[in-house]
Amino acid sequence: MKIKRIKIVGTGFYVPDKILTNQDLEKMVDTSDEWIVTRTGIRERHIASEEQATSDLAAEAARRALQDAGLTAEEVDLILVATSTPDTIFPSTACRVQHSLGADHVPAFDLSAGCTGFLYGMIVAEGLILNGPARRVLLIGAELLTKITNWEDRSTCVLFGDGAGAVILEESQDDSGMLSAYWGADGSLGELLILPGGGTRIPASHDSVDQKLHYLQMKGNEVFKHAVKRMGEAAVEALKIAGLKKKDVDFLVPHQANIRIIDATGQRLKLPPERVYTNIQRYGNISVASIPVAIHELKESGQLKKGDILVFVAFGAGFTWAAVVYRW
Ligand code: UT7
């Protein structure tokens, strides 16, 4: 019996034009290009304009993915937006994207799983496509972190950028596609990476704003340790489920939060650096957008051959983590 699986039939991404370099940041907070590069790998990041919201970035990435797949927006059955920085708490960013694309009446909803949201989204889309309710899914990872960044906090403001990546998913007609997935979460550690204010726990008030609770807070070195452990574990487990070995992996496409986390995950899979895709130098941490942007760039770079085994792996707020093994 043929194994049913989903595959990516189109990719696209969008990052805003404005670039903020480490040298620019040196003028804003007590930091240095040297510290940022050696501790994170980041050299520059793209920053949204004042007028842009997350759905604007998402819709542009979606248009490019649709064009790549040769499809119109009405030809998708579901729009799924993974984001932690929605335009508004409600309506969803996905519904805004649906309107922007003119995808009349196509169902749309958001998924919140921190930086892991794109991989959670792939797993959800797989279930829906293989079981019937959606033949074709437009999955977008979009994040506009710079509007929830405290630009006076050097421990976070040097890390993040804005961007969106999109893929079109449908049932595979050949051997290529998603082979396995492994996912997990640990809600007990949520406070280590959090946007505390503006929700129902701490509603927005003068006081919450005075206390800067509408900005992202992170205990970086704590998050770092968990990210290294969970990303390595998830990649190994997903390979096991696919019945593959570390030596079968052609490319690792990890979430881009820190070059040292990326290197550690590559080493866990015993991969040489040229088999580990990185773009953190140019974008910083764009959270849920990092993997779809990397997939698009890797595809466009011409390095991928049909049949190559890819491992996508991520870790993020929640905590959440996931890995997907994919045959190109
Ligand atoms: O995407 C979702 C998940 N997110 C992540 O995975 C992020 C994980 N965490 C990290 O990437 C790293 O922990 C950071 C890059 C955030 C920080 O690197 P670190 O090596 O863990 O540094 P640290 O927080 O332990 O700080 C070391 C020192 C401190 O100074 P002292 O106390 O040793 O004197 C900080 O105050 O570096 C200082 N520092 C800075 N110095 C210059 C912190 N931020 C900066 C900065 N510039 N921007």
Side-chain angles (χ1 to χ4, degrees):
M1 199 183 72
K2 183 177 177 293
I3 297 171
K4 285 165 67 147
R5 53 177 67 108
I6 60 162
K7 75 180 282 188
I8 296 168
V9 298
T11 61
F13 82 95
Y14 170 79
V15 289
D17 294 336
K18 186 178 168 194
I19 291 175
L20 187 75
T21 64
N22 291 351
Q23 287 71 25
D24 296 328
L25 280 160
E26 282 177 349
K27 297 180 197 126
M28 296 161 62
V29 285
D30 179 16
T31 191
S32 65
D33 175 53
E34 198 261 335
W35 190 95
I36 302 171
V37 172
T38 53
R39 293 287 180 135
T40 73
I42 301 165
R43 292 185 183 277
E44 58 187 33
R45 65 291 285 145
H46 292 246
I47 308 281
S49 67
E50 258 176 53
E51 303 75 47
Q52 283 177 312
T54 304
S55 67
D56 301 319
L57 278 50
E60 192 49 42
R63 280 187 201 100
R64 295 175 186 190
L66 286 165
Q67 191 180 16
D68 186 46
L71 295 167
T72 63
E74 298 81 34
E75 290 176 287
V76 302
D77 303 314
L78 172 66
I79 299 170
L80 188 47
V81 175
T83 187
S84 299
T85 47
D87 290 28
T88 45
I89 291 182
F90 67 88
S92 70
T93 301
C95 282
R96 293 175 186 273
V97 171
Q98 185 241 41
H99 177 61
S100 172
L101 296 178
D104 287 350
H105 300 165
V106 172
F109 66 92
D110 287 0
L111 185 157
S112 167
C115 303
T116 315
F118 179 78
L119 298 184
Y120 267 47
M122 277 191 85
I123 296 167
V124 170
E126 179 190 48
L128 294 172
I129 292 169
L130 298 187
N131 291 297
R135 212 168 50 86
R136 187 178 288 135
V137 174
L138 166 57
L139 170 63
I140 308 164
E143 214 78 90
L144 209 163
L145 289 162
T146 63
K147 288 199 187 179
I148 57 158
T149 296
N150 178 355
W151 291 101
E152 292 170 0
D153 175 9
R154 69 174 184 173
S155 73
T156 55
C157 77
V158 302
L159 304 175
F160 301 107
D162 302 326
V167 299
I168 316 285
L169 297 164
E170 54 184 52
E171 189 178 335
S172 175
Q173 301 306 324
D174 57 24
D175 261 5
S176 64
M178 185 166 154
L179 302 181
S180 71
Y182 177 84
W183 55 346
D186 183 351
S188 73
L189 298 167
E191 304 285 322
L192 296 175
L193 176 48
I194 188 168
L195 178 66
T200 55
R201 182 67 61 190
I202 305 175
S205 65
H206 287 295
D207 198 37
S208 75
V209 173
D210 288 346
Q211 291 184 53
K212 300 190 181 346
L213 300 179
H214 55 299
Y215 290 135
L216 172 156
Q217 298 176 355
M218 178 166 74
K219 296 254 182 322
N221 43 16
E222 287 294 313
V223 177
F224 185 96
K225 285 183 244 163
H226 290 281
V228 169
K229 177 171 182 286
R230 295 298 185 188
M231 282 174 64
E233 245 170 43
V236 168
E237 290 302 320
L239 277 170
K240 243 188 250 171
I241 296 167
L244 294 172
K245 301 257 182 301
K246 291 176 184 172
K247 65 174 173 40
D248 298 320
V249 179
D250 294 294
F251 285 99
L252 176 67
V253 183
H255 168 49
Q256 312 276 313
N258 185 311
I259 195 70
R260 293 179 290 141
I261 301 174
I262 294 170
D263 289 346
T265 312
Q267 281 157 17
R268 182 85 182 259
L269 294 189
K270 299 192 163 45
L271 288 169
E274 64 274 15
R275 296 274 150 197
V276 181
Y277 193 80
T278 61
N279 58 18
I280 189 170
Q281 311 83 326
R282 288 175 281 129
Y283 304 127
N285 182 347
I286 49 174
S287 180
V288 71
S290 70
I291 291 180
V293 170
I295 294 171
H296 178 86
E297 288 187 337
L298 184 57
K299 181 182 99 172
E300 294 298 304
S301 75
Q303 295 177 75
L304 285 178
K305 297 186 309 295
K306 190 157 175 53
D308 275 354
I309 297 294
L310 313 184
V311 177
F312 312 141
V313 61
F315 178 87
F319 290 151
T320 56
W321 55 87
V324 163
V325 179
Y326 190 97
R327 186 187 289 124
W328 196 254

